Amino acid sequence: MQKSVWITLFLLLASVPSFTTISGPIRLCDYQTPEMDLHDMRFSFNYRHFDDAASNEADISSGRLGVDYDRFLNTGTLGLTFGGKVEIALQDLVPTSGLGQGAGTLRSYMFEEMPLLFMFGGAEASFDIGQEKSNLEIRAGVGYGRFSDVTSLAKALKIQKGLLRKGKIKKQLSDESLLLIADQISQRAEFTSMDELMSAIQTLIEEASGTVVDPAIVMVGMEFNTLQTLVSNIADLVTEASGDPLDAEALMIIQEQILIQNDSRSCGWAVQGGVGYDLVTRKALLTASLDAALAPDPASQIVLRTSFSTPFLSLEESVLNISTSYDYLIKNDISLFANYTLQAKPVEELSAVTHSVSLELALHLEVGSLALQIALTKAPNVPTWSTDVMFSLVVDLL
């Protein structure tokens, strides 16, 4: 078991450079933004209680709770990464198995000559209901890497794809044109978040009319004007690059992609190492971790985290945590989400490792929603996997 875990960790670390290479004329992960603030949270819960009066068999009373959260923040010389996952199986509303991982890291980029080098401080936590001890660590050290928001370029590529599919343009746009469109899209957040400007406009209207104006009306007006200007600017860039004039349907394709809110994408990685302290065992630690985010294409997102810690000169008490998730937006109303979590002590046998796998396919309809959820769990020292399959259909008929 020890050898296989170390091989897995080595392969994950060795794969870091490949995260920045994506096939195609333009690579999403080459797009750099000076600042970013992306977050994503998913919550799932199901529970069923069934008491069959016609049978003497035991009642069915079981369910599952899942939470997944990721946050990436960059503000000039500071960076923040936070991730957390929880998977818990319930029986008679009592947790019977499950695991959780959480990590937060604050990075400070202090070296102008080496812009990817940083100092960091943070905390790690993990628990497994099947094991006696939880982990709660504080960490500090040095690292290398950075994350970037590539949502704007992803939207630009989806606009190009939509225009090509509808025959509005005859060929792909140049990389330069796509980057100009991405820059235009990235400015929308700046325009729509200018609270001081909105307040100033509201004051001028009230002074001129002598009537109190609802701030929401001002914001709606600003948003509408900003959106129309943005769509027009992008249409001009597309027409200039392709030579094809755009009609009203093409403008709707552009506007639809700009307005979608659940398609944020990020790229980057950060490797860090240092020292730590386990608040549970009260032991000093050597620590290492890898955070990575990859957008293989505009519709998908992969997030990976690997963390390792061990007391000084004592590999027998080392802890390895791995979590990875895959989010794929099949269409605007169909999404696929999958994640895998592992907790292990590399010196233990394979039977002592905890695994959790979950898959969710959701179809969001105008009158309701359709979802398929599959969860697989392998508890420590349990020879088989637990399986939970749930299919739900909710329709508003009236």
Side-chain angles (χ1 to χ4, degrees), residues 212-232:
V212 177
V213 178
D214 187 347
I217 297 176
V218 180
M219 178 57 77
V220 169
M222 288 178 59
E223 176 68 9
F224 178 79
N225 290 332
T226 300
L227 177 61
Q228 297 306 309
T229 301
L230 180 58
V231 170
S232 177

Side-chain angles (χ1 to χ4, degrees), residues 8-58:
T8 301
L9 181 60
F10 172 78
L11 291 175
L12 287 169
L13 292 173
S15 66
V16 170
S18 66
F19 286 178
T20 59
T21 60
I22 304 174
S23 60
I26 188 169
R27 299 179 295 184
L28 272 176
C29 291
D30 283 344
Y31 187 70
Q32 301 293 321
T33 52
E35 295 188 0
M36 68 177 295
D37 186 4
L38 298 179
H39 56 87
D40 181 52
M41 183 173 183
R42 305 179 68 90
F43 175 82
S44 63
F45 176 78
N46 67 77
Y47 198 86
R48 183 192 182 204
H49 179 83
F50 178 65
D51 183 3
D52 188 356
S55 173
N56 293 325
E57 295 182 1

Side-chain angles (χ1 to χ4, degrees), residues 285-302:
L285 307 170
L286 289 174
T287 68
S289 66
L290 163 66
D291 292 292
L294 171 66
D297 55 67
S300 59
Q301 177 74 72
I302 299 173

Side-chain angles (χ1 to χ4, degrees), residues 78-109:
L78 293 178
L80 172 68
T81 301
F82 180 82
K85 299 177 184 291
V86 175
E87 289 278 348
I88 297 177
L90 303 172
Q91 186 73 34
D92 296 324
L93 293 177
V94 177
T96 56
S97 65
L99 55 84
Q101 297 178 3
T105 301
L106 180 63
R107 302 183 299 274
S108 176
Y109 296 89

Side-chain angles (χ1 to χ4, degrees), residues 161-179:
K161 181 179 179 180
L163 295 176
L164 285 169
R165 185 175 62 249
K166 291 292 186 178
K168 303 303 179 181
I169 57 177
K170 298 180 178 62
K171 61 180 181 179
Q172 292 187 347
L173 303 176
S174 66
D175 291 355
E176 181 181 0
S177 298
L178 288 170
L179 291 173

